[in-house]
Amino acid sequence: MRIKNVKVYREDKSFEEGEICIRDGLFAAPGEETENSGEQEETLDGEGCYAIPGLIDIHFHGCMGHDFCDGTEEAIEEIAKYEASVGVTGINPATMTLPVEELEEILATGAAYGKKQQAQPDPARADFLGVNMEGPFISEEKKGAQDARNIRLCDVEIFHRFQKAAEGTVNYIGVAPEKEGALEFVEAVKDEVHVSLAHTNADYDSAKAAYDRGACHAVHLYNAMPAFTHRAPGVVGAVADSPHVMAELICDGVHIHPAMVRATFKMLGEDRIIFISDSMRATGMPDGRYTLGGLDVDVKGNHATLVSDGALAGSATNLMDCVRTAVKKMDIPLETAVACATMNPAKSLGVYETRGSITPGKKADLVLLDKDLRLKAVIKDGNVLTETGR
């Protein structure tokens, strides 16, 4: 396949007018597919669209009435189908703070789905890349929409139970470093999983100690953590002072003020920021009452709040819409926003060799956007899911 007349997003984070070649589900060097194939070349006219890699969401819970924690392969299939339809071709869904045995079952289901998907690839569904465990090793004070009844102290044995059930697919585990045993936990598992600071009431010193001991990630920066102030910089200050740490941002226009998003880019730089959606099951659905982690949530527009206390309960916005919001309402350059939803998450997950950029040899997952960033086509593994003109 040849996709002509597009602005191609390059690894140096620039757009260049040109074309994209695909052979056997992978990006190919221009002309390579015609040299190795006797069949007539399929051509897609990109009509001047931006051509960007398929997005990767490393932290979200669900969409279209389904949640990863529903614990069924059918739910994951429907989630993966929706995500692919909006240009998110790689997913790393998140768990909630639930009983240990229930989490083991959810993780086992995710692992089974992942193996099934590898054995029987379906280009109409986003690739399952693993799991982001947001709980249960978090803080009661900053639990947000997590169920406090299931919060536990960090426990290496329990983490290994999780990873065994998940067949090694847990990529991130969240901790509150101020809690008893948390720093020792970080040191014990840092070589097995990305340790995140998540739903924590830690001050600067506690957070920095965790990062110095091997934690390397921050879950939805600014949310479910102490405020960033000039005398008490908290977790945000510790992230800023820890160059190896990558931080998630929810750019849905609800969770973080645009000025703070811009300030974060100035503070951390564009290579350390990962856009996430943190979307819950109401995403793609009408306004109404839904559940998240067993708790009731009211959704109106893109606001999702707990019925019990009004706390923000994830988002009702997919990652592609977050990218649009970052560009159109937060003044983040498109080139930067794309990197934060493709290259940066791929690098954090350790899969940049195979996805995350439009590079010969990588999976042919890409999205075409018009000048107003409206979705014109999704191509996954070289298969056109939604298409513009030919």
Side-chain angles (χ1 to χ4, degrees):
M1 174 187 288
R2 181 168 66 97
I3 306 170
K4 64 179 184 179
N5 189 22
V6 286
K7 300 178 181 70
V8 184
Y9 188 72
R10 301 299 188 188
E11 284 192 325
D12 65 359
K13 302 175 189 175
S14 67
F15 284 98
E16 178 181 320
E17 292 188 4
E19 64 180 33
I20 298 170
C21 295
I22 297 172
R23 181 171 59 85
D24 298 329
L26 303 175
F27 293 119
E32 183 179 342
E33 79 289 353
T34 56
E35 293 173 2
N36 292 280
S37 174
E39 300 179 2
Q40 185 175 358
E41 179 184 19
E42 180 183 7
T43 300
L44 181 69
D45 184 357
E47 300 178 349
C49 284
Y50 296 107
I52 66 173
L55 307 192
I56 301 171
D57 198 345
I58 69 166
H59 183 161
F60 77 106
H61 299 276
C63 53
M64 297 301 293
H66 302 281
D67 190 295
F68 179 66
C69 285
D70 290 345
T72 69
E73 291 188 33
E74 292 76 17
I76 304 174
E77 286 181 353
E78 292 304 311
I79 289 169
K81 182 178 179 181
Y82 170 82
E83 295 296 336
S85 76
V86 297
V88 180
T89 57
I91 56 173
N92 189 81
T95 55
M96 295 291 289
T97 298
L98 298 167
V100 170
E101 294 77 12
E102 186 174 345
L103 285 170
E104 287 180 298
E105 293 176 2
I106 291 164
L107 294 168
T109 300
Y113 175 82
K115 289 194 296 185
K116 176 181 174 182
Q117 190 181 55
Q118 287 183 346
Q120 300 174 325
D122 182 354
R125 288 174 170 80
D127 293 332
F128 179 79
L129 304 179
V131 182
N132 187 332
M133 295 199 73
E134 199 171 356
F137 306 137
I138 59 173
S139 158
E140 292 85 352
E141 291 81 5
K142 295 293 181 180
K143 63 182 178 59
Q146 307 281 341
D147 192 336
R149 295 172 296 180
N150 299 315
I151 293 174
R152 307 178 62 96
L153 293 176
C154 288
D155 187 311
V156 175
E157 181 181 351
I158 289 177
F159 166 71
H160 285 150
R161 285 173 57 183
F162 290 151
Q163 197 65 288
K164 180 179 180 181
E167 300 187 34
T169 59
V170 175
N171 289 316
Y172 303 90
I173 183 75
V175 304
E178 72 276 18
K179 301 296 290 289
E180 179 185 347
L183 295 181
E184 292 77 10
F185 178 86
V186 172
E187 288 189 320
V189 306
K190 66 182 180 180
D191 295 328
E192 304 174 47
V193 67
H194 294 89
V195 181
S196 312
L197 300 198
H199 289 269
T200 168
N201 202 35
D203 60 14
Y204 172 88
D205 291 336
S206 295
K208 189 64 168 62
Y211 286 134
D212 288 346
R213 295 195 186 198
C216 62
H217 197 79
V219 168
H220 44 50
L221 198 67
Y222 301 109
N223 296 108
M225 62 181 62
F228 175 44
T229 70
H230 61 297
R231 291 195 180 93
V235 176
V236 178
V239 170
D241 282 348
S242 305
H244 69 289
V245 174
M246 300 190 79
E248 303 171 355
L249 284 186
I250 309 172
C251 293
D252 62 347
V254 175
H255 282 77
I256 313 172
H257 192 281
M260 187 56 75
V261 171
R262 293 189 291 272
T264 305
F265 274 96
K266 293 176 183 177
M267 179 169 59
L268 301 184
E270 62 185 28
D271 293 335
R272 296 176 57 196
I273 294 173
I274 298 173
F275 285 172
I276 64 166
S277 71
D278 199 20
S279 68
M280 48 91 71
R281 70 171 77 242
T283 303
M285 299 288 286
D287 291 352
R289 182 160 292 183
Y290 298 86
T291 61
L292 179 65
L295 304 178
D296 288 335
V297 176
D298 279 338
V299 175
K300 186 175 181 180
N302 63 347
H303 284 71
T305 55
L306 284 183
V307 172
S308 60
D309 61 8
L312 285 176
S315 84
T317 307
N318 64 61
L319 184 59
M320 184 62 77
D321 280 336
C322 288
V323 169
R324 292 188 186 95
T325 298
V327 175
K328 292 189 168 188
K329 297 182 179 180
M330 298 177 172
D331 296 326
I332 303 302
L334 176 60
E335 293 84 350
T336 299
V338 170
C340 293
T342 60
M343 300 171 69
N344 292 359
K347 290 176 180 178
S348 179
L349 284 170
V351 297
Y352 190 59
E353 289 186 0
T354 58
R355 64 178 72 231
S357 68
I358 302 173
T359 304
K362 292 192 178 185
K363 284 173 59 67
D365 296 349
L366 73 151
V367 181
L368 300 186
L369 302 173
D370 70 13
K371 63 180 181 180
D372 294 318
L373 306 188
R374 291 175 298 200
L375 187 68
K376 301 299 291 185
V378 177
I379 298 171
K380 184 172 182 299
D381 296 323
N383 297 277
V384 181
L385 306 185
T386 308
E387 66 179 274
T388 181
R390 285 185 180 273

